[in-house]
Amino acid sequence: MCGIVGYIGKREKREFLLDGLKELEYRGYDSAGIAVLHQNEINYFKASGKLDNLVEKTKDFRSIGFGLGIAHTRWATHGKPTEINAHPHWGEFSFVIHNGIIENYMDIKKDLQSEGVVFLSQTDSEVIVHLFEKFVNLGFEPETAFEKTIASLKGAYAILLISKVASQKIFFAKNAVPLIIGKNEEDELFFGSSDAPLIGFASEVIYLEDGTYGWANEKEINLYKDSKQIELSFKLLNSSKIYAQKDGYRFFMEKEIYEQSAVTSETLMGRIKDEKVYLEEVENLDFSKIDEIKICACGTSYHAALTSSYLFERISKIRCSVEIASEFRYKKPLLTQKTLFLVISQSGETADTLEALKMAKRAGLKTLSICNVDNSSIVRISDATILTRAGIEKGVASTKAFATQVLSLWLLALHVGSEKIDENEYASEIKAMRSIPEVLRVDEKIHEKIHRLSKRYLHGHGFFFIGRDIFFPLALEGALKLKEISYLHAEGYPAGEMKHGPIALADSKLFTIALMPQTMLYEKTKSNVEELSARDATILAISPKEFELADDFIKTAPHEHPMSEFFEMMVITQLLALEISIRLGNDVDMPRNLAKSVTVE
Ligand code: AGP
């Protein structure tokens, strides 16, 4: 998730813009830049890496007196995290910064290139400034040119644009990613992708709605939607910075659970076209020469890998094996050239996963990574990478990274299997996939119910999470989430394994979280849960179907597709772990003994 800061007024702009970007560092970034328009001259600076590099570059720059400033921290989604790909991007007389993904950028870019426009970066964002200048050069007023530019864009965007043809105003637009405008009594205007950079400067703010756009100068803000001017509704700004960084949630993990709906929209952005999966990152990978996919990962990423193994075999009709990286490293594995070696890692720095990848490279295998951090070690040495676009994940217990990993792997399975399954089945996969961001929208009533029932699960001698098929790796993941942040013992198990030993543990103090989807082996799972209930185990059933033997029951929606049930049950297990941990008074975001990235063996 990129960060945006903007300013209109007389204050020294470099300091305000850089301090604003520092307040957004928590969102994660890999490059940054600023641009200032003062007395019809635009100064701009960009730097890859940490903000300190930009601070150094701008150390001799100051901008006093009325002017406009825009600033940006970039989290790479299209194009490597290099200086040239950093924002702002410019044309001949305008500069733009953008957060989000322009889904139709390739079509716009090709049209502009055919008209002689030269692009400097690999980004989708750069099309915005060239499109704006195209309309200005066709004779449209800047405001109309901006309106036409925004109308041409599909996808998610928070945009600030400044131009010499309108040197008193900032143009802005917002759709699907946050953009806030703030004001104070000194005729200053502020822009931000969250409250944090505005705290201490603005007294009132507008949280722009999707589909709105407009322009602002020091005297007025003109806000539009569908070409109609709309009212400005200001509200008082909360003054707590940490509160702002957590967007009002109690923990980053809670915020990241709620973000899953938005970030999975970004994961899908530009990757489904004309109802077909389109993954430009693997366009050059010839899967006809691959007879096995071997996946290597750790922890939660391993659970995503296990989940995808069902999809690769069922949809892509390709053999798939999954290995825990720390085991794989030392087992002297048999590797063949026709194996695609896939590694999954949120951080891209996990030592075991990185070493496993190097082993595959040394053996001459094609390698592909599913990763959340561009330019990380794993990304740098993989032959290709599919970025999950989850944005920075601050909670040590992974949530949105897992959701975007599974979604990215499902995309890949459909990409590989597009000719292997019939059209109707493919269409139902795409239909279900498009619904996932909505499925991940947290139901406050469900959250409240989980909060209430969590008080019953604070003791006992352990938890079983059980499920079948893709719900088995989800059971493993649910158990890991609970272990990590509550410090209570929990195990994930294939539901069919109970009678092979684990059921000996069954008694009233054994809590069983039963994942009982209606679209996948419901009757089989139900009979496994009945075996546990008959031995007095305490059952929390998660299912769209009423289950009368449940001691606690969380009703889910009657989805038609197993993956929809998977993602809805995933949120429930995440919230259950969160609420139990909060009741136990634990540090949810920084659990004892754990680190966010395990860069050592
Ligand atoms: C997940 O909640 C844990 N924090 C941990 O298992 C993590 O998934 C594992 O260390 C792998 O990390 P990676 O995805 O960054 O490689």
Side-chain angles (χ1 to χ4, degrees), residues 541-552:
I542 302 172
S543 180
K545 293 185 169 184
E546 300 294 335
F547 179 58
E548 67 288 345
L549 294 177
D551 301 281
D552 276 317

Side-chain angles (χ1 to χ4, degrees), residues 298-301 344-350 353 396-398 405 477 480-481 484 595-598:
C298 302
T300 285
S301 298
I344 304 171
S345 176
Q346 187 287 127
S347 62
E349 301 299 343
T350 300
T353 310
V396 166
S398 186
Q405 286 170 347
E477 174 57 15
L480 177 61
K481 286 288 90 57
E484 282 191 285
K596 183 58 187 168
S597 179
V598 183

Side-chain angles (χ1 to χ4, degrees), residues 461-464 502 505-512 532 536-539:
H461 61 65
F463 291 75
F464 276 164
L505 286 174
D507 62 26
S508 61
K509 291 192 179 63
L510 177 78
F511 301 135
T512 297
L532 284 159
D536 205 23
T538 299
I539 308 290

Side-chain angles (χ1 to χ4, degrees), residues 7-11 13 35-41 63-70 162 167-170 189 218:
Y7 176 72
I8 299 177
K10 299 182 175 62
R11 169 187 308 265
K13 282 155 273 311
V36 174
L37 173 49
H38 171 61
Q39 292 176 346
N40 219 37
E41 186 192 342
S63 172
I64 309 282
F66 177 79
L68 316 174
I70 59 176
I162 55 177
S167 59
Q168 305 295 308
K169 58 184 68 165
I170 288 186
L189 279 187
E218 62 178 342

